[in-house]
Structure formats: structure tokens, C-alpha cells
Amino acid sequence: MASIVVSGRRRICGEARVTGAKNAALPILAATLIARGPVELENCPRLKDVENMLCILSSLGAQCEYCGDTLKIDTRSATGSVMPQSISKELRSSIFMLGPLLTRFGSAVCTFPGGCEIGHRPIDLHLKGLMMLGAEIREERGLIICRADRLKGAEIHLDYPSVGATENIMMAAACADGMTRIFNAAREPEIEDLALFLNELGYLVEGAGSSTLSVYGGEARREKTTHRIIPDRIVAGTLMAAAAITGGEIRLNDVCPAHVGSIAAKLKEAGCKIEQQGMSMRLSAPDRLNEIRLIETMPYPGFPTDMQAQMFALCAVAKGTSVIVENVFENRFRHAAELGRMGASFTQKDRTAIIRGVERLTGTKVTAWDLRGGAAMVLAGLAADGETTIEHAELIDRGYEKLHETLNGLGAEIRLEE
Ligand code: EPZ
């Protein structure tokens, strides 16, 4: 278990580059299985989850290697369609492989991805969509076993705009016979990036970013493809939040302002000044933030659930009383109790938290229960009195490329403690 120690009362000031988006890279890595030739991914973040996805691809026989910041992948040599249980159990995103494996090999086996700290994380919408495309799916001893001689286009209405289910169905439908339309599809920027990648491979996906997607089944026609992963909007939001909670100022480069609109709106409501210039954004924060009347997490373009924990930390030290409602996951407030150990004052019932801002939090030993909760603890530690030791800090590496080094370059003092 890795711990980090965050020294308090540090202002975050300076300039940083936003890394590539984890939640775009993961489905795109799965989609390399339906590429016709070698793929080069630029701006692919070096994260634990990406590493695990590469392990799964390599175990299936694909060639994967980093050349500087470019990830080169050639899945022409892939033969297997049974994912290694040790990794697929670890990595929820292995579920994204079902669609591509099924469409390429006619079969796919993966471990039933369990729930995690933030909720039960069902995959019924993934499986229902694949079955509507003609897959036969059975669950046996914790494994999902899929078979399909030939997938056939269908009209699929998602009960919920699930990001993962939209991506899985899109990838499976890309090689199916005929057209597939996905209604109530997720609209996240990561969906658009995956659709762009599929079109660069030579497939035809239309409507990405809207709630109705059209996928025209066909063949990958491009021999070689290069794709640049979009910037990570949650990393951008987290770095802006770090400056906001410490009364600092930050200039972010390589960010897509349109993707962080809902986050910027809430930071402005808290009293931050934010300007955008092309692919850069500047935020300057007041000495103490104002309360944020209401944050409700929603599917994109609503406020992202992956920024909820970070904003909870900001509200904990803001003036007045703020309210956060977590509509996406049923158990995404575990960071609240940890903030309470630092002196935060709040009432939380079911999916609603009412947070009464305090002047100052006090550093102590806390736990990172999940990736974004861990990031929230770092933010709280930066603003607190004294030192904050964060246990299970390795969880943060799942979604942030060396977050402590980036923040140390902006005035923080964070050290690793084995
Ligand atoms: C993606 O998870 C992201 N992960 C999550 O980011 C993100 O929080 C989430 O989308 C919402 O934006 C990746 O992209 C790798 P969903 P995903 O399917 O696809 C319910 C992070 O911190 N649901 O949109 O699993 C589900 O229970 C991670 O980077 C079903 O009921 O999210 C949840 O309540 C955390 N049945 C809601 O939909 C299903 O078959 C949203 O889930 C699938 C989902």
C-alpha cells in the first residue's frame, strides 16, 4: 500500500499541461482489436488502467510498445479471445473488449467485472445491447461467455445513457451486417473521440456527441492509423480545483475548454475568475471560495460525477453552505467521512450532501477509497493545516499521471511514503 504525505497551506500557482484522457484511451485501446493494420496513439496517458489494458491486449497476442509519447499497437497477431482473469477482474474497463473481440473472433470471455467502491456497476445495458446485435451470452462461474457467428445491425434503446454500454455497442456494431442505431446514447467527449477513431480506421459512425448514434456496419479500410487522444477533462478540472482550493492561480495548456464548461461554471460560482484562450485556460482564485448553491452530477453535458469528490473538498472550506447531489452512482460519498476526519462539517443522506464550509481543515491520516476520492484528499491536504497522509494513494495513479509531481511543480510539497 502506497501512502503520500501532503504538506498544507500551499498555494497552487503556475502552468501545467493536461494529459490525454483515460476514459477516451481505454475504449480506443479496445477498438484497436478491429483495426486493419498498425495503430499509433498519440497523447496516450501513462496510467495504471492503461497499463492493465495493454497487458490484456498483449495476452491476446497483440504487439504493444511505447515509442516516446506515442503508443504503437498492432493487433493483427492477436488470436485469443479469452481475457486473463487476473487482469480483467482488476480492470472494469476490460468489459469494453467484449464488443471488439466478439465482432472479430466470434467469441469473447471475460470476468464479470465486480462492483467497486462507488457502486454496484452493473453491465446489463452492455449485455442487452450485444444480445440485440445477435450475441449469445451466458454467465458461468463469474465469467461472461459470448458467442456470435455474425452480428447484425439493430435499433437499440438504452434505458440509461451509459458511457461504457454506448462504447461497447458502437464497437460491436461497427463490423456488424447493416446499420445500428443507438437511442439515448451517452454524449460524453470520450464517445466522440472513440467514434472519430473508428472513422479513422475506416468504419462509419455518425451522430457521436448526440443522443442518437448511427453505426453503418462494414470493414476497417485504413491500413495504418494515427490518432491523438483528447485532453482529460477530469484531470483539467482537478488541477483547476487545486488552484481554487488554495487561493492560487493556474494556466492549463492542451485543455479543451468546451469539455470543462460545467466544471468552469461551478468554479466561477465559487468566485474564481476563468479565461480561455484557444486550447489554454487560466484560473485565478479568491482567498476563500464562496458557497456553491447546488451541484447535481449528471451525464454529459451535465456536471461530471468524476469531479464530485473534488468539489466536495472545495465546498468543505468555502464560505456558507453548499449542496451536492450525486445522481450517477449510488455510493460515491466515501470521501465525505475522510474529509470529516479533517474537520469538514456536513450532513449526508443517500445521494445528497449538505456541506457547511469551515475556515480551515486539519491534516491527519486519511484513506483514498477510490480514484477521485483520492484526488479530493490531495486537494483537501493542500489547503489544510499541517500534513495529511493519504493511504492507498496508488489508486490515484489509476487516473492521474504522476499527480504529485505535477502539483509539486506548481508549489505543492507532496512526498511518497512507502
Ligand atoms: C464511465 O464509467 C467512466 N469510466 C467513469 O469514470 C464515469 O464515472 C462514468 O462513465 C460516468 O461518466 C470509463 O469511461 C472507463 P456508466 P461507466 O455506464 O461506463 C449505470 C473514473 O473515475 N449502468 O455511464 O461504467 C451505472 O450503475 C470512472 O474515471 C447500468 O445500470 O459508467 C451507473 O449508475 C469512474 N447498467 C450509471 O449507469 C449498465 O449496463 C453510469 O454508468 C451500465 C451502467
Side-chain angles (χ1 to χ4, degrees):
M1 173 184 73
S3 297
I4 56 174
V5 180
V6 182
S7 300
R9 310 292 292 271
R10 292 290 189 294
R11 280 183 79 235
I12 293 299
C13 294
E15 196 163 334
R17 190 186 83 82
V18 177
T19 46
K22 164 177 87 80
N23 292 347
L26 295 174
I28 285 172
L29 287 170
T32 59
L33 282 164
I34 54 174
R36 186 191 184 93
V39 168
E40 293 195 359
L41 294 180
E42 296 172 350
N43 202 32
C44 193
R46 291 179 181 251
L47 302 167
K48 192 84 192 94
D49 278 12
V50 169
E51 218 176 279
N52 281 336
M53 206 63 156
L54 292 175
C55 288
I56 294 178
L57 284 172
S58 307
S59 72
L60 296 173
Q63 313 291 323
C64 310
E65 61 165 342
Y66 272 103
C67 293
D69 274 350
T70 299
L71 184 53
K72 293 189 176 181
I73 297 177
D74 190 338
T75 63
R76 284 174 295 185
S77 47
T79 50
S81 67
V82 179
M83 282 182 262
Q85 290 188 36
S86 55
I87 309 177
S88 71
K89 203 170 46 231
E90 265 294 293
L91 180 66
R92 273 193 51 75
S93 313
S94 52
I95 191 77
F96 291 139
M97 301 287 237
L98 278 187
L101 287 173
L102 200 51
T103 200
R104 173 157 170 188
F105 297 112
S107 68
V109 178
C110 93
T111 314
F112 211 97
C116 67
E117 285 307 331
I118 63 177
H120 164 49
R121 312 296 295 273
I123 55 167
D124 56 309
L125 300 178
H126 295 244
L127 302 184
K128 201 166 106 183
L130 293 177
M131 284 191 278
M132 291 189 74
L133 292 172
E136 291 153 30
I137 299 178
R138 68 178 202 280
E139 293 152 39
E140 213 173 272
R141 297 195 310 281
L143 292 179
I144 304 170
I145 300 160
C146 308
R147 265 192 37 66
D149 294 335
R150 191 86 186 112
L151 293 176
K152 216 165 138 325
E155 292 226 334
I156 297 170
H157 290 257
L158 289 176
D159 296 342
Y160 180 91
S162 154
V163 173
T166 302
E167 291 165 340
N168 226 336
I169 297 165
M170 198 201 305
M171 290 188 277
C175 314
D177 284 338
M179 182 162 123
T180 294
R181 296 184 77 193
I182 307 172
F183 297 94
N184 196 25
R187 300 168 52 192
E188 274 70 2
E190 292 76 26
I191 304 273
E192 291 186 81
D193 206 26
L194 174 62
L196 175 62
F197 178 65
L198 289 173
N199 289 340
E200 286 164 350
L201 292 179
Y203 294 102
L204 183 52
V205 179
E206 289 179 342
S210 78
S211 52
T212 304
L213 273 177
S214 301
V215 187
Y216 299 82
E219 304 268 315
R221 287 185 298 280
R222 250 348 106 68
E223 290 299 334
K224 190 172 179 315
T225 304
T226 299
H227 179 82
R228 183 172 181 77
I229 303 277
I230 54 169
D232 193 311
R233 59 196 168 98
I234 305 303
V235 167
T238 305
L239 292 175
M240 288 199 281
I245 197 172
T246 57
E249 57 181 276
I250 194 168
R251 178 188 168 84
L252 289 182
N253 300 316
D254 255 6
V255 60
C256 189
H259 295 168
V260 295
S262 59
I263 302 166
K266 290 303 174 186
L267 290 170
K268 284 178 187 165
E269 187 181 332
C272 295
K273 285 191 179 43
I274 298 178
E275 301 148 42
Q276 63 186 65
Q277 300 123 1
M279 292 290 276
S280 292
M281 290 181 85
R282 273 179 58 74
L283 174 143
S284 57
D287 288 343
R288 190 173 178 202
L289 296 168
N290 303 323
E291 76 272 6
I292 300 177
R293 206 178 47 77
L294 175 64
I295 292 177
E296 284 219 60
T297 65
M298 299 274 179
Y300 192 88
F303 190 88
T305 175
D306 294 347
M307 275 299 300
Q308 183 260 104
Q310 300 91 311
M311 297 306 281
F312 198 120
L314 268 62
C315 296
V317 291
K319 300 172 197 159
T321 298
S322 306
V323 179
I324 294 182
V325 182
E326 171 54 63
N327 291 308
V328 178
F329 289 107
E330 69 272 23
N331 185 33
R332 202 168 197 174
F333 278 130
R334 291 208 69 175
H335 45 276
E338 300 306 313
L339 290 166
R341 294 160 56 80
M342 297 177 71
S345 168
F346 62 90
T347 317
Q348 183 247 318
K349 189 167 175 2
D350 299 333
R351 293 179 179 239
T352 301
I354 298 168
I355 307 154
R356 288 170 297 281
V358 296
E359 279 275 340
R360 186 71 65 197
L361 296 174
T362 308
T364 184
K365 188 176 273 193
V366 294
T367 302
W369 293 106
D370 64 85
L371 156 58
R372 307 303 176 182
M377 301 324 294
V378 172
L379 302 187
L382 289 171
D385 272 336
E387 288 193 335
T388 301
T389 301
I390 303 171
E391 293 181 334
H392 286 302
E394 69 281 359
L395 287 176
I396 301 170
D397 298 338
R398 292 189 48 202
Y400 296 90
E401 206 175 306
K402 297 196 174 58
L403 181 64
H404 64 288
E405 285 182 13
T406 305
L407 292 171
N408 285 344
L410 295 166
E413 194 186 323
I414 303 172
R415 65 178 191 278
L416 298 179
E417 189 182 74
E418 285 310 321

